[in-house]
Amino acid sequence: MIYPIVMYGDAVLRKKAKDIDNGKDILVLVNDMYETMHAAHGIGLAAPQIGKSIRLFVVDGTTLEDEPTLKDFKKTFVNPVILNEDGEPWAFEEGCLSIPNIREEVERPEKLRIKYFDENWNPFEEEYDGMKARIIQHEYDHIEGKLFIDYLSPLKKRMLKGKLNDISKGDVDTEYRILAPLRK
Ligand code: NI
């Protein structure tokens, strides 16, 4: 099932999401999240973006031909905890399915260590760097109630205010179904 994607301005994107009970059957939900993400041509999707305030996100960079480092990067992160981040911060232009048609440079630390479960409740603890780390950081922010635009300067944020308002009203072009909080 493909869910509509929740747009900027919805309170669910600002909540700190809750852990999922260990052992709960989430296979259908995880499958739906992959389906929703692929339909929107995203490389990451967090549960709050489909209206569920739970600590779960999926990533899939395997279809990005210009990012060979991501060719095996398809993973489900359940109840993840970033244990530490380090390395030289680097900037990259990010986008978000909940903030369509806006891309801005965000600086993030190069490396991280994360523990998480997969969709079958197998535990992992791994290190990531570069683009994989960035995708994880962006999605992890979602379950913490944070968005990439939070990192922008006050000036940049002011400049985007009109566009963000339009997004909240559903006044934005997307190839996927959206749920806009201020749509009349
Ligand atoms: Ni996002």
Side-chain angles (χ1 to χ4, degrees):
M1 171 185 152
I2 296 174
Y3 283 88
I5 291 178
V6 170
M7 292 294 103
Y8 174 82
D10 193 301
V12 75
L13 296 178
R14 290 309 195 178
K15 270 195 216 156
K16 190 177 158 83
K18 293 258 189 317
D19 269 337
I20 301 171
D21 290 340
N22 196 301
K24 190 178 167 156
D25 185 350
I26 51 170
L27 291 176
V28 171
L29 174 61
V30 166
N31 216 36
D32 288 346
M33 285 187 58
Y34 279 106
E35 211 183 330
T36 301
M37 173 173 69
H38 289 143
H41 301 290
I43 54 172
L45 183 73
Q49 295 181 277
I50 57 162
K52 297 182 187 302
S53 191
I54 53 175
R55 300 181 76 80
L56 162 65
F57 59 84
V58 297
V59 301
D60 185 359
T62 59
T63 56
L64 292 183
E65 278 153 15
D66 49 344
E67 280 292 343
T69 60
L70 300 178
K71 72 174 191 315
D72 57 349
F73 192 54
K74 182 177 179 188
K75 264 169 194 292
T76 308
F77 292 83
V78 181
N79 294 350
V81 178
I82 289 184
L83 301 169
N84 67 280
E85 292 181 290
D86 59 56
E88 198 59 32
W90 62 293
F92 186 80
E93 220 174 64
E94 294 189 16
C96 180
L97 293 176
S98 293
I99 313 174
N101 308 336
I102 294 180
R103 297 192 68 86
E104 294 291 343
E105 283 211 338
V106 177
E107 274 205 2
R108 298 188 188 269
E110 190 190 359
K111 299 181 209 166
L112 61 81
R113 183 165 193 85
I114 188 169
K115 62 172 188 174
Y116 65 97
F117 298 89
D118 68 8
E119 58 269 62
N120 296 308
W121 294 99
N122 300 304
F124 293 90
E125 187 175 323
E126 294 167 339
E127 276 176 15
Y128 289 96
D129 61 12
M131 196 57 78
K132 291 179 186 175
R134 176 171 295 272
I135 295 167
I136 290 169
Q137 288 158 334
H138 178 114
E139 299 311 323
Y140 190 84
D141 273 355
H142 274 300
I143 61 173
E144 291 288 307
K146 260 170 126 177
L147 299 168
F148 80 89
I149 53 169
D150 299 348
Y151 296 97
L152 305 180
S153 69
L155 174 65
K156 265 269 159 64
K157 272 187 223 164
R158 269 204 304 284
M159 288 177 1
L160 289 175
K161 210 170 171 202
K163 274 194 191 175
L164 290 171
N165 249 321
D166 288 345
I167 289 171
S168 297
K169 288 189 277 192
D171 192 4
V172 62
D173 272 334
T174 58
E175 289 172 356
Y176 46 93
R177 208 149 56 90
I178 62 172
L179 204 62
L182 300 180
R183 184 179 267 163
K184 298 227 168 66

